[in-house]
Amino acid sequence: MKIEPITFTDKMGRTVTLRAAEPKDAQALIDYLKVVNAETPFLLREPDECSITLENEEAFLQGILDSEREIMLIGLIDGKHVGNCSIASIGSYKRVSHRCGVAIALYQEYCGCGIGRVMLETALDIARKAHYEQAELEVIEGNTNAMALYEKLGFKKYGTFPNNMKYKDGSYRDSYWMMKQFK
Ligand SMILES: CC(C)(COP(=O)(O)OP(=O)(O)OC[C@H]1O[C@@H](n2cnc3c(N)ncnc32)[C@H](O)[C@@H]1OP(=O)(O)O)[C@@H](O)C(=O)NCCC(=O)NCCS
């Protein structure tokens, strides 16, 4: 989905631009995946598992741009990529067409400045206008910053999934299913 770019000022007084990611952003997004997955234990991949090719990432981004109900929002400060937030359909069947999944992650140096909140609010607004009725996500236990943001924006916990992640040291973490209904 394409949108008109949106700008806002973060808590540090910087101008942040939000726009739909395009194929030209593919290399920045591959680099971002490697870094953010190394910065936090709360995302899905080990850093060495971010091995998508430039060609595949470009095709992936073009597919999202061409879709009517999905978006990858990219945040930029002075042209520098600060993070992403995406809205994706849960599935292509009619019975789940009211549901979307949300994902968000910023580079660590840009966390805590109010960017995540505006990015997620913008993504949820886009989802509502795309006629989704609820937004869903999974968050790993211990990710207090993310849970604080989700709860502030009206997400509610509705279940726990045991042993969602298993780390290199053999330890496990549960996840919480969270959901926000638009109605
Ligand atoms: C989770 C994440 C997207 C949040 O974005 P952010 O820009 O850091 O969050 P914000 O600065 O916009 O803060 C959002 C709100 O939550 C509040 N908040 C943040 N951490 C909090 C905490 N630990 N306790 C209470 N409130 C907290 C902030 O004060 C703010 O409230 P306000 O808008 O009323 O001032 C970001 O920290 C991130 O990318 N983390 C790493 C990747 C990740 O964990 N992604 C989520 C995977 S499920």
Side-chain angles (χ1 to χ4, degrees):
M1 190 193 296
K2 297 179 185 78
I3 57 156
E4 284 302 313
I6 292 162
T7 58
F8 66 95
T9 305
D10 77 357
K11 288 181 181 174
M12 311 290 279
R14 300 172 294 198
T15 301
V16 183
T17 302
L18 300 182
R19 63 166 172 79
E22 299 170 22
K24 70 178 183 191
D25 301 310
Q27 190 57 56
L29 287 171
I30 293 170
D31 297 342
Y32 151 90
L33 268 185
K34 289 180 185 157
V35 175
V36 293
N37 277 281
E39 286 179 337
T40 166
F42 300 125
L43 300 175
L44 187 61
R45 297 178 174 90
E46 291 293 340
D48 62 1
E49 292 174 321
C50 303
S51 55
I52 187 163
T53 64
L54 186 62
E55 204 177 30
N56 285 351
E57 184 69 8
E58 284 170 348
F60 172 70
L61 292 172
Q62 187 64 54
I64 297 176
L65 204 56
D66 292 341
S67 83
E68 287 179 8
R69 298 184 79 208
E70 299 201 332
I71 192 158
M72 171 85 74
L73 272 181
I74 184 167
L76 301 151
I77 295 180
D78 292 332
K80 189 172 180 307
H81 179 205
V82 303
N84 283 0
C85 183
S86 63
I87 295 288
S89 295
I90 293 286
S92 56
Y93 298 109
K94 288 178 186 165
R95 290 180 183 179
V96 291
S97 65
H98 61 300
R99 299 168 54 193
C100 65
V102 189
I104 184 166
L106 308 179
Y107 280 107
Q108 201 167 53
E109 64 174 303
Y110 295 103
C111 289
C113 304
I115 299 172
R117 181 175 185 139
V118 178
M119 222 182 214
L120 186 54
E121 281 173 341
T122 304
L124 293 173
D125 193 44
I126 291 169
R128 197 180 292 112
K129 288 177 180 152
H131 306 293
Y132 290 107
E133 293 175 26
Q134 61 191 57
E136 304 168 21
L137 56 84
E138 264 186 282
V139 59
I140 301 298
E141 66 171 322
N143 195 352
T144 46
N145 297 1
M147 288 185 65
L149 169 62
Y150 301 148
E151 280 167 0
K152 280 198 171 199
L153 296 194
F155 283 81
K156 293 201 167 40
K157 260 192 237 174
Y158 64 95
T160 304
F161 187 88
N163 291 359
N164 182 303
M165 298 265 213
K166 183 174 181 181
Y167 294 93
K168 280 180 176 168
D169 66 0
S171 64
Y172 297 87
R173 284 197 203 213
D174 297 349
S175 67
Y176 303 114
W177 282 310
M178 297 188 80
M179 193 250 276
K180 176 185 169 74
Q181 286 184 308
F182 296 140
K183 287 184 175 176

